[in-house]
Amino acid sequence: MGIEDWGYRWLKRYMDAPQWLKAPLGRLYGLLPDRLRHGRDYPRYRAEASLKSADDIARLADSRLRETLQWAAATVPAYAAMAAQFALEIPAEELLALFPLMTKLDYKRDAERYMSTACSEAERLPMQTSGSVAEPFRFFLHKGVSRAKETAYIEAFGERIGLTRQDVVLSLRGRNIRGASADGGSLHSYEPIKRMLWISPNHLDAAYMPLHVEAAIAHRVSFIQGYSSAVYELARWLEFNPAPRFTEAVRGVQLFSESADEGMVALIERVFGCPVLVHYGHSERSVMAGSMPDDHRYFVWPLYGHVELVDEAGKPITEPGVQGEVVATGFDNKAMPFIRYRTGDLAMWSDKPPHPALPGYPVLERIDGRNNDYFVGHDGRRIPVASLGGLRPPEFLQVEASQYEQFEPGQLIVRLQSAVPLAPEVLEVIDRYFRTKLLGCVEPEIRVVPQIERTARGKRRLMIQHIKAEEGARAA
């Protein structure tokens, strides 16, 4: 077991430790050098994320793309037929166009064919997509590499608004707090290693907001990271219930996992009086993009992965202002390379000049398709769909896709697509999973269906909400 694997396993056990034990262990862990805490490749990725020369970035991005394609053709059974193409002296992007477009279902149906035979089982890090996507599936990342890479880029992203390791971050990113569902249970958990105050995402209604604000002030929070919907909900409450000791101490906000429209960002900026950055990425680690303090477009990290846009027929879109699907080819995942992976998200190239501080970065005007809807509880509580994130039970691997639909507060239809009937014990586990995640304030009705209908653009709608926002508020 490598040192970074040991560190990762230790960190997972540490996260479940009681608060009194976390503090001293966290301080000790924080003294370790970066390569021990994050992995041996962390320094290299941190240096790449800081490159400013457009020529150097373009040259390295082309090299990374070619290396990724060549590795896949040489070691991944599904791409073996592509190996002969590398005898030709053609640009990497032209080689990429010879590879087929892929979907989650393609990988899910025959995962073994898309895993590298050159990586042992010990080098594969099993992952599973979480609740913010309609087609969950199990896949693999390169152990000891993916975490170092993502951490390096996320830290570089935070530097755009001056976030340092000395700051305390308020996190609203869907992590359940142990004991939060019990009467009088704690709604907060402070993690000393990352200097992060976690808040239960299922307790964002008005009754709990004063407690969250008090905790943020007590821990001297100076930055906020969270789902767009969750941070917006906090900012909207603060607009009518000012707490200057909290808001004036916040120097920056980062929004993750969901799309954020201009109105949401404007409100958050107005309430906290600081820059707001919008981040885009996904569990498969194939694409990462983010905004700038003075420009809310999405700037794609060119050394993280290669991005294309395609139309409904799968043809490339190169002109600005035309909406297409985001297709990603991730670098550095040798265990299971994602090549020309259709993310299901919609975007369009920007027709405005690039940002002067980010030469060589592809620019997307906006990204649509990320779900930031809510479930409405029987008590009017609004629970972000993204709060269903996290590792699902293994029984969920028998489900091809899922969809949620709500007609009235406290009642939720959960559709599960499966070509064969699901065993009663499997349905029992899945039902218990939803009830636990929804804290008992939403009653799930599980329906197994052979097919979940797609939209005209070929997407499955994850959440179909028939309750208007004002109706949900009145229900409280």
Side-chain angles (χ1 to χ4, degrees), residues 42-80:
Y42 172 85
R44 173 168 67 88
Y45 290 125
R46 227 22 210 94
E48 286 181 1
S50 303
L51 282 176
K52 299 298 182 183
S53 166
D55 290 339
D56 290 344
I57 290 173
R59 188 162 44 249
L60 189 52
D62 183 81
S63 174
R64 283 290 172 80
L65 178 58
R66 185 178 294 276
E67 289 171 4
T68 298
L69 299 179
Q70 196 158 7
W71 172 267
T75 70
V76 177
Y79 299 124

Side-chain angles (χ1 to χ4, degrees), residues 418-458:
S418 176
V420 298
L422 299 179
E425 56 270 23
V426 171
L427 291 174
E428 182 180 351
V429 171
I430 293 176
D431 180 80
R432 187 163 59 247
Y433 164 82
F434 281 106
R435 291 178 186 276
T436 301
K437 281 287 190 176
L438 296 170
L439 299 179
C441 65
V442 177
E443 181 79 13
E445 178 187 343
I446 308 296
R447 297 182 183 179
V448 181
V449 297
Q451 186 69 35
I452 294 177
E453 296 299 323
R454 293 179 179 270
T455 66
R457 289 186 175 275

Side-chain angles (χ1 to χ4, degrees), residues 9-194:
R9 293 185 183 185
W10 184 92
L11 189 58
K12 285 179 70 67
R13 293 191 180 97
Y14 161 84
M15 296 295 282
D16 292 329
Q19 192 66 53
W20 63 267
L21 186 58
K22 279 185 181 180
L25 290 178
R27 285 192 289 269
L28 288 173
Y29 190 83
L31 297 176
L32 296 175
D34 285 340
R35 63 177 289 115
L36 291 182
R37 289 197 298 157
H38 304 307
R40 63 178 180 272
D41 293 310
Y42 172 85
R44 173 168 67 88
Y45 290 125
R46 227 22 210 94
E48 286 181 1
S50 303
L51 282 176
K52 299 298 182 183
S53 166
D55 290 339
D56 290 344
I57 290 173
R59 188 162 44 249
L60 189 52
D62 183 81
S63 174
R64 283 290 172 80
L65 178 58
R66 185 178 294 276
E67 289 171 4
T68 298
L69 299 179
Q70 196 158 7
W71 172 267
T75 70
V76 177
Y79 299 124
M82 304 298 300
Q85 305 298 329
F86 288 86
L88 306 175
E89 292 295 329
I90 59 177
E93 289 198 27
E94 292 184 20
L95 282 170
L96 177 65
L98 300 176
F99 282 71
L101 292 168
M102 300 294 296
T103 67
K104 288 181 176 71
L105 205 52
D106 293 326
Y107 291 112
K108 186 173 181 178
R109 284 173 172 165
D110 200 356
E112 284 293 332
R113 292 191 67 239
Y114 293 97
M115 289 193 287
S116 171
T117 57
C119 282
S120 66
E121 188 172 345
E123 295 176 284
R124 298 171 181 170
L125 178 65
M127 299 289 291
Q128 193 174 316
T129 53
S130 56
S132 61
V133 293
E135 296 178 357
F137 77 108
R138 191 167 184 258
F139 60 96
F140 294 88
L141 297 175
H142 195 179
K143 189 179 292 185
V145 175
S146 61
R147 189 166 62 91
K149 177 179 177 180
E150 185 177 48
T151 300
Y153 276 86
I154 289 292
E155 287 194 357
F157 176 61
E159 282 186 355
R160 294 177 178 179
I161 49 175
L163 175 60
T164 72
R165 295 182 184 177
Q166 310 311 314
D167 288 294
V168 177
V169 177
L170 173 66
S171 179
L172 292 164
R173 294 183 67 182
R175 177 185 169 191
N176 286 348
I177 306 301
R178 176 178 290 182
S181 59
D183 290 340
S186 175
L187 306 181
H188 314 100
S189 176
Y190 180 69
E191 198 273 274
I193 291 179
K194 295 184 177 180

